[in-house]
């Protein structure tokens, strides 16, 4: 999996969603997409989930849903309270603000990580990748199981809908790129993800 191939596929997905985006905004978005595509590949090439080629696709599936691959994404999962707004997630992968503490407990190598460090897009993706490894080791089942656990913050007896959806998107990206995403299929997803899968199949057949 190369960054330019991943970038091409993700740009195709973006065109499905925003075909009439103003040229200036589109160019800014593509700059960020290029950066994130390279990060997904650089981080995922460790191959600790499925394989060096498939792992960047799992990361891209999460990055798509969490921030549409925006490196400087706004904080999310916000509550609007009388005393002000409180947001619990941040960065392109929208990891929890509790992540530094969580990572420090599961991996000594991360014990000194801080929120500010994890706001860096590459570090944000690395943190998400380490959490995915934790959920893979903790939960029984395939990618849909630990992709869902990553979002829910806990293992479940069967994968949640979000896990299936992200797995389906990663598989569609893999099919278009000629990469096997073992353990994922494109059968279970929502209508919007289905549209993206259809467009990616067009790329695959060319």
């Amino acid at each position: 999996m190369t960054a330019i191939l991943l970038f091409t596929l993700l740009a195709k997905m973006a065109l499905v969603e925003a075909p009439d985006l103003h040229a200036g905004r589109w160019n800014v978005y593509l700059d960020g997409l290029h950066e994130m595509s390279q990060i997904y590949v650089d981080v995922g090439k460790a191959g600790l989930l499925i394989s060096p080629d498939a792992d960047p696709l799992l990361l891209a599936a999460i990055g798509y849903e969490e921030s549409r691959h925006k490196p400087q994404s706004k904080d999310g999962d916000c509550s609007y309270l009388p005393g002000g707004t409180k947001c619990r997630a941040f960065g392109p992968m929208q990891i929890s603000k509790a992540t530094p503490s969580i990572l420090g407990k599961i991996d000594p190598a991360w014990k000194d990580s801080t929120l500010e460090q994890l706001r860096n897009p590459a570090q944000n993706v690395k943190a998400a990748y380490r959490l995915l490894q934790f959920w893979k080791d903790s939960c029984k089942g395939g990618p849909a199981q630990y992709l869902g656990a990553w979002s829910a913050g806990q293992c479940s007896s069967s994968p949640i809908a979000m896990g299936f959806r992200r797995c389906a998107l990663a598989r569609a990206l893999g099919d278009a790129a000629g990469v096997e995403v073992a353990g994922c299929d494109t059968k279970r997803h929502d209508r919007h993800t289905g549209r993206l899968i259809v467009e990616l199949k067009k790329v695959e057949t060319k």
Side-chain angles (χ1 to χ4, degrees):
M1 172 56 62
T2 65
I4 189 61
L5 175 56
L6 182 55
F7 168 81
T8 301
L9 296 175
L10 298 182
K12 176 67 175 178
M13 288 170 52
L15 280 171
V16 173
E17 289 196 313
D20 300 319
L21 190 65
H22 184 275
R25 294 180 61 190
W26 178 244
N27 288 335
V28 171
Y29 179 77
L30 289 182
D31 286 343
L33 186 60
H34 184 272
E35 177 183 355
M36 292 305 300
S37 298
Q38 187 65 60
I39 291 172
Y40 296 144
V41 170
D42 288 345
V43 174
K45 68 183 179 182
L48 300 175
L49 299 174
I50 298 177
S51 72
D53 285 328
D55 287 15
L57 305 180
L58 297 180
L59 293 170
I62 293 175
Y64 166 75
E65 290 205 331
E66 296 294 354
S67 71
R68 294 302 192 267
H69 314 296
K70 295 176 182 175
Q72 304 301 328
S73 179
K74 295 180 180 179
D75 290 2
D77 190 16
C78 302
S79 298
Y80 302 96
L81 307 171
T85 301
K86 181 178 180 180
C87 298
R88 292 174 288 274
F90 69 103
M93 304 298 272
Q94 290 292 287
I95 58 177
S96 166
K97 288 186 176 179
T99 297
S101 175
I102 295 170
L103 286 175
K105 293 175 182 177
I106 66 176
D107 188 339
W110 288 85
K111 66 181 179 65
D112 296 324
S113 62
T114 66
L115 280 176
E116 287 309 308
Q117 289 172 342
L118 298 188
R119 285 191 180 279
N120 174 276
Q123 293 301 315
N124 198 265
V125 175
K126 287 179 182 178
Y129 191 55
R130 182 62 186 89
L131 289 171
L132 280 171
Q133 294 165 47
F134 170 77
W135 289 118
K136 178 187 178 183
D137 294 339
S138 301
C139 303
K140 296 179 181 179
Q145 186 79 25
Y146 55 79
L147 285 168
W150 184 89
S151 298
Q154 61 182 7
C155 299
S156 58
S157 57
S158 60
I160 62 174
M162 188 176 292
F164 280 121
R165 187 171 68 241
R166 292 177 173 181
C167 211
L169 185 54
R171 172 60 183 270
L173 286 166
D175 288 347
V179 171
E180 181 182 8
V181 184
C184 287
D185 62 51
T186 56
K187 297 178 181 178
R188 300 185 65 173
H189 51 74
D190 59 12
R191 182 177 297 179
H192 176 71
T193 305
R195 285 182 60 217
L196 298 175
I197 291 173
V198 168
E199 292 302 318
L200 287 169
K201 282 185 176 297
K202 293 178 182 178
V203 177
E204 175 189 354
T205 58
K206 289 181 179 179

